[in-house]
Amino acid sequence: MPVVRLQNVSKSFNNQPVISDLNLDVHKGEFLTLLGPSGCGKTTVLRLIAGLETCDSGALFINGRDQTRMPACDRDVNTVFQSYALFPHMTVFDNIAFGLKLKKTPARQIRERVKETLALVKLAGLETRSIHGLSGGQQQRVAIARAIVNQPLILLLDEPLSALDYKLRKQMRLDLRQLHRKLGITFIFVTHDQEEALTLSDRVVVMNHGTIQQTGAPKDIYETPVNLFVADFVGESNIFDARVARTSGSDMEIHFQGIVKIVQNRRNFKTGQAVKVLLRPEDMTVTRIQAQCAAGSLPGRVTEMIYKGTTVDLIIRLDSGQEVFVTEFFNEDEQDIMYDVNEPVCVSWIKGWEVTLADE
Amino acid sequence: MTRWLKISWVSAVFTFLYGPLLVLMVFSFNQARYTTSWQGFSLKWYMRLLDNPQLLDAFFNSLTVALISSMVATALGTLGAFAVSRYRFAGRKLFFGLVYSVMMSPDIVMGISLLMLFVMAGLTPGFLTLLIAHVTFCLPFVIVLVHARISGFDPAVVDAARDLGAREHEVFYKIIVPMILPAVLAGWLLSFTLSLDDVIISFFVTGPGFEILPLKIYSMVKLGVTPEVNALCTVLFLLTLAAVSAAHILTKEIKK
């Protein structure tokens, strides 16, 4: 039984649909990320689960019980807000104890649990501090502590890392994963940062315009995007227009950029069909031109070389005029991956590493 | 050199601001009548104040009006500030503009227009008209102060409280009230001082049956500035100072 189930949920604000007929199951104990550009409705999904918004239509089940109309204060769900939303007139202790006090928990138990939780978020001993004296990272941890101290069934996190600087964000990412493992409860995390989504989650839900584009493990989302939006939003892609010239079994021959190449036909494309061929920068290889490029590889010239320590990023202008972005890794066999600007090269990839999608 | 310049500049400013007040306060303790020369320390003018029933009446009338009008203005103003900041309604901007225009309009204009209104409404000038007038000119200050406080805090804290299990009334008492309280108190104290020392508007809207302190002083001064008036002004000044300092401390709290 899923811990949260959204069934045909729709929601609009001022007659502007934000979520349309959305279905989503969240499994117990998983780390689920809602990923999408701003305005895609991901935060609204979170607020619907929290009970801070109500569905216009459809139903919402938490732990199997219909809670579509249940007010926020009665749901076994707690939220970490993007702005942290700490109570400025209270100390750290009073902020964290707020939920427990409302539930009339005995004072001694409150003290113990606040103490434990503060230790869990690495803020031990800060009970009496005022909110104003805390750094952004500390406020973030208080916000998390205030939510998890209530031992909710589900913890909702609304872009909690977006206000932190890069180093702190990386640290918090690790801490969140550890916290998830220790607590064993369900985390639903909202972000527009694909790197965050890929590194943190058990499962990623990619959203756009209020609908789910793709749901899957980070690896599936990255390696086999189901449409151009997902491919473009998650990671970088080089996209080629191509036409299927011939199909044979599980392979097909495509014409693009003035060349012919055999690729895999996973989606049962027909001869003559227009397709998009997607390639991740790291899936393409660059070789120095010998007389002429081998069959199935694309000639071009290096326009930019960016040295990044472990990798070298190349921007290559193909002879057709299209620019591609290629990442080359340093490895033992092939030391010389440094190229000169304007050096003629060939770009190719191993058959099967491409993703082909119907031209929409 | 610049240091000396700074010090003399600051002292000049302070002398200019507080010199007159200081003179008034010092001479309220002067033994002599009708003279500006110092004749020795005395508290007799303060004693004289206590023996003057008319003056005490006016003083208590002033306090009554200031207390009631400031409380009514605070209650209405807080509600008004809530309406403007929480709800989006037609004419919201206009409402806010009107609030500021009341705050800016000259006292004499306010006084005459209120008088005309009361006459047209058939009200005899007295306690009630004075009270209404004072509530009117205090209201904008409360609205502006409380509104600034409300717009200063993150609306997500209300969501956070609900999310943590607070019902509507708990959100109100545990979150909203404590957060806006400094602004409400500051608004109240400010209204109290505004009401306590208003002369011009009160001059138009009160009647002979209801005398208040600033007007009483005004009429006393027509016969010459006596040490008695000095003593009275000192009392009034200290009262206002206390209220203003309290308001200031509370507004400082707001900015945190």
Side-chain angles (χ1 to χ4, degrees):
Chain A
M1 183 181 62
V3 70
V4 178
R5 163 168 284 176
L6 284 96
Q7 215 168 60
N8 308 103
V9 169
S10 297
K11 175 79 187 169
S12 23
F13 293 115
N14 304 321
N15 294 323
Q16 202 79 14
V18 178
I19 294 185
S20 335
D21 200 27
L22 185 125
N23 287 288
L24 176 66
D25 278 359
V26 183
H27 310 312
K28 203 173 176 81
E30 76 174 331
F31 198 130
L32 182 90
T33 299
L34 302 173
L35 174 68
S38 51
C40 73
K42 56 193 192 300
T43 295
T44 307
V45 172
L46 206 71
R47 291 176 64 84
L48 285 168
I49 298 171
L52 297 168
E53 308 286 352
T54 43
C55 313
D56 292 344
S57 64
L60 179 124
F61 298 88
I62 295 177
N63 230 9
R65 287 202 312 274
D66 185 347
Q67 302 211 329
T68 317
R69 303 271 156 232
M70 177 82 85
C73 54
D74 294 326
R75 295 193 190 188
D76 198 2
V77 170
N78 286 116
T79 309
V80 177
F81 291 85
Q82 184 171 16
S83 60
Y84 314 150
L86 298 175
F87 306 129
H89 58 289
M90 295 183 191
T91 59
V92 169
F93 178 89
D94 288 331
N95 262 280
I96 299 174
F98 189 79
L100 295 175
K101 279 181 187 165
L102 287 171
K103 284 188 203 112
K104 306 266 183 288
T105 314
R108 225 179 96 213
Q109 212 178 323
I110 292 181
R111 267 201 305 282
E112 274 167 20
R113 271 170 65 183
V114 171
K115 200 174 166 198
E116 279 167 25
T117 313
L118 271 175
L120 201 61
V121 297
K122 301 178 184 168
L123 286 179
L126 256 61
E127 279 95 336
T128 55
R129 292 276 285 276
S130 99
I131 295 304
H132 308 286
L134 300 180
S135 69
Q138 287 172 323
Q139 291 193 7
Q140 161 84 84
R141 285 161 192 273
V142 174
I144 293 172
R146 185 178 66 177
I148 61 175
V149 76
N150 305 294
Q151 300 169 337
L153 197 62
I154 305 150
L155 183 70
L156 307 175
L157 301 116
D158 185 8
E159 307 217 17
L161 309 183
S162 58
L164 303 177
D165 63 58
Y166 180 70
K167 248 189 133 167
L168 215 53
R169 208 154 61 217
K170 267 181 102 170
Q171 179 61 43
M172 274 312 291
R173 250 188 248 161
L174 283 175
D175 288 353
L176 274 179
R177 279 181 68 137
Q178 280 175 11
L179 203 62
H180 177 244
R181 220 170 296 141
K182 269 186 207 160
L183 296 172
I185 60 173
T186 312
F187 277 35
I188 304 178
F189 185 90
V190 160
T191 186
H192 63 263
D193 182 331
Q194 43 115 356
E195 196 185 329
E196 247 168 55
L198 296 178
T199 51
L200 280 170
S201 335
D202 297 323
R203 226 154 46 100
V204 179
V205 175
V206 184
M207 288 184 66
N208 194 27
H209 297 311
T211 53
I212 293 177
Q213 303 292 315
Q214 187 173 3
T215 306
K219 195 171 180 309
D220 300 337
I221 299 280
Y222 188 76
E223 290 182 2
T224 46
V226 296
N227 60 32
L228 281 174
F229 172 79
V230 177
D232 206 33
F233 191 75
V234 182
E236 296 214 48
S237 311
N238 296 298
I239 301 171
F240 298 108
D241 290 311
R243 187 163 292 281
V244 180
R246 200 161 54 80
T247 61
S248 65
S250 66
D251 286 353
M252 60 182 177
E253 197 180 282
I254 53 167
H255 285 194
F256 74 109
Q257 303 282 317
I259 66 158
V260 178
K261 190 171 169 78
I262 310 278
V263 296
Q264 284 189 354
N265 184 2
R266 295 197 192 85
R267 285 167 194 269
N268 210 10
F269 292 116
K270 303 279 180 285
T271 304
Q273 198 174 347
V275 294
K276 297 266 188 196
V277 178
L278 272 54
L279 283 150
R280 298 290 186 194
E282 65 275 17
D283 288 343
M284 299 179 95
T285 51
V286 175
T287 47
R288 286 205 160 71
I289 200 157
Q290 321 282 337
Q292 172 176 17
C293 287
S297 62
L298 297 158
R301 277 173 189 277
V302 176
T303 55
E304 200 70 69
M305 193 198 74
I306 304 142
Y307 174 75
K308 281 190 169 170
T310 50
T311 62
V312 168
D313 291 347
L314 297 167
I315 299 171
I316 293 162
R317 181 180 289 276
L318 300 178
D319 287 358
S320 64
Q322 187 174 347
E323 280 197 335
V324 294
F325 188 69
V326 182
T327 302
E328 293 270 86
F329 294 87
F330 286 99
N331 65 46
E332 299 288 316
D333 321 325
E334 196 187 351
Q335 284 300 333
D336 191 21
I337 60 169
M338 309 286 276
Y339 294 87
D340 296 324
V341 170
N342 228 10
E343 195 177 338
V345 290
C346 298
V347 180
S348 64
W349 71 88
I350 294 167
K351 186 187 103 183
W353 286 17
E354 75 286 336
V355 172
T356 35
L357 297 170
D359 199 343
E360 288 153 9
Chain B
M1 181 60 198
T2 47
R3 190 183 135 80
W4 282 108
L5 245 153
K6 266 186 207 162
I7 290 175
S8 41
W9 171 250
V10 169
S11 2
V13 168
F14 274 89
T15 316
F16 191 74
L17 282 177
Y18 293 102
L21 274 170
L22 206 68
V23 169
L24 179 139
M25 283 156 106
V26 167
F27 278 95
S28 72
F29 296 105
N30 195 358
Q31 182 89 44
R33 191 170 189 108
Y34 303 128
T35 174
T36 45
S37 67
W38 183 255
Q39 306 248 307
F41 181 82
S42 160
L43 283 174
K44 74 172 175 193
W45 306 114
Y46 287 89
M47 295 302 168
R48 187 82 48 100
L49 286 182
L50 294 174
D51 290 338
N52 187 337
Q54 266 188 319
L55 217 52
L56 285 179
D57 258 9
F59 181 68
F60 285 116
N61 283 346
S62 265
L63 274 188
T64 315
V65 170
L67 262 175
I68 300 178
S69 67
S70 61
M71 286 196 289
V72 174
T74 304
L76 290 177
T78 304
L79 292 176
F82 253 97
V84 189
S85 36
R86 267 197 80 159
Y87 304 103
R88 296 283 168 272
F89 50 88
R92 184 175 152 270
K93 284 234 168 81
L94 182 71
F95 172 79
F96 222 61
L98 289 176
V99 161
Y100 273 101
S101 72
V102 169
M103 216 153 91
M104 301 298 172
S105 68
D107 280 3
I108 191 114
V109 176
M110 279 279 285
I112 294 172
S113 55
L114 280 166
L115 177 65
M116 281 172 67
L117 177 78
F118 294 142
V119 170
M120 279 160 74
L123 290 169
T124 21
F127 171 71
L128 188 67
T129 52
L130 192 68
L131 192 67
I132 294 172
H134 281 209
V135 170
T136 309
F137 71 72
C138 290
L139 202 52
F141 292 92
V142 180
I143 294 178
V144 168
L145 268 171
V146 177
H147 177 260
R149 177 66 170 177
I150 296 174
S151 33
F153 63 65
D154 182 2
V157 294
V158 172
D159 285 341
R162 284 166 63 204
D163 182 73
L164 290 164
R167 282 159 208 293
E168 283 305 316
H169 68 275
E170 285 165 328
V171 171
F172 186 73
Y173 289 116
K174 293 187 178 183
I175 305 298
I176 292 172
V177 169
M179 282 174 74
I180 64 164
L181 199 60
V184 173
L185 287 178
W188 176 55
L189 287 166
L190 194 63
S191 303
F192 181 79
T193 61
L194 285 173
S195 166
L196 198 63
D197 66 9
D198 176 71
V199 177
I200 302 172
I201 296 172
S202 306
F203 176 77
F204 288 99
V205 296
T206 192
F210 195 82
E211 200 158 28
I212 56 169
L213 199 60
L215 287 179
K216 179 76 189 163
I217 295 173
Y218 184 64
S219 64
M220 281 163 79
V221 169
K222 283 178 186 161
L223 307 171
V225 181
T226 59
E228 220 172 340
V229 170
N230 287 349
L232 196 55
C233 287
T234 306
V235 172
L236 197 61
F237 171 72
L238 291 178
L239 209 64
T240 316
L241 188 69
V244 169
S245 334
H248 179 71
I249 291 166
L250 291 167
T251 5
K252 236 180 162 175
E253 186 83 6
I254 291 173
K255 291 200 186 100
K256 267 207 293 189

